[in-house]
């Protein structure tokens, strides 16, 4: 049996209060957001569940910035990445989800409203 193992994560939850898009010095677009994830699709209260940091690059960054809204319900798919930083000589790592796809969920019936895929993702 042959199968492909990849670094992949899927989260369902509610977005945090802000979705930020920046342009780096080399012109690369990056969007940062947070998602409060829960194991079940139940009603979320403010700041409940587990917090995960999201990051999107270039076209995905534009799509995330344009389509995602604060406190909106989404399904996120991507891969885990660790970003190192140094503070007072001590090295820390921040784990983020590099978004490859996302789906917006409607509030009323919790159905899938829209799918946004990375330009490099398979069809």
């Amino acid at each position: 049996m042959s199968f492909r193992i990849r670094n992949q994560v899927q989260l369902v939850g509610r977005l945090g209060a802000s979705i930020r898009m920046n342009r780096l010095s080399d012109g690369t677009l990056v969007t940062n957001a947070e998602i409060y994830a829960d194991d079940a699709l139940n009603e979320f209260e403010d700041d409940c569940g587990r917090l995960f940091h999201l990051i999107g690059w270039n076209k995905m960054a534009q799509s995330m910035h344009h389509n995602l809204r604060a406190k909106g319900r989404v399904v996120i798919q991507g891969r885990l990445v660790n970003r190192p930083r140094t503070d007072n000589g001590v090295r820390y790592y921040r784990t983020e989800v590099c978004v490859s796809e996302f789906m917006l969920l409607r509030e009323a019936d919790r159905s899938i409203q829209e799918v946004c895929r990375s330009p490099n993702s398979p069809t």
Side-chain angles (χ1 to χ4, degrees):
M1 174 170 45
S2 174
F3 59 93
R4 186 174 171 193
I5 298 174
R6 350 174 231 183
N7 174 5
Q8 185 174 329
V9 64
Q10 185 173 1
L11 301 170
V12 179
R14 188 173 298 281
L15 292 169
S18 66
I19 296 146
R20 301 164 306 279
M21 186 166 82
N22 297 308
R23 187 176 298 273
L24 303 179
S25 60
D26 65 355
T28 303
L29 291 173
V30 60
T31 297
N32 294 290
E34 292 83 27
I35 183 173
Y36 291 92
D38 195 67
D39 293 333
L41 281 173
N42 56 7
E43 291 301 316
F44 285 81
E45 296 180 19
D46 289 342
D47 299 341
C48 74
R50 295 180 301 266
L51 173 69
F52 294 91
H53 299 279
L54 307 176
I55 190 163
W57 297 97
N58 296 317
K59 288 185 180 183
M60 180 53 71
Q62 289 176 328
S63 183
M64 287 171 65
H65 184 71
H66 182 264
N67 293 301
L68 298 180
R69 298 290 173 252
K71 307 287 184 175
R73 295 182 57 79
V74 294
V75 177
I76 298 288
Q77 188 170 10
R79 61 185 173 83
L80 295 175
V81 294
N82 286 318
R83 183 167 36 154
R85 70 177 177 90
T86 304
D87 188 20
N88 295 328
V90 179
R91 191 170 189 128
Y92 296 95
Y93 291 91
R94 175 175 161 165
T95 302
E96 300 172 327
V97 177
C98 184
V99 178
S100 59
E101 298 181 40
F102 65 88
M103 293 181 272
L104 305 175
L105 299 177
R106 290 190 193 127
E107 291 294 327
D109 57 4
R110 296 190 179 137
S111 64
I112 296 171
Q113 179 181 353
E114 182 178 347
V115 177
C116 298
R117 297 178 189 269
S118 169
N120 299 331
S121 68
T123 57

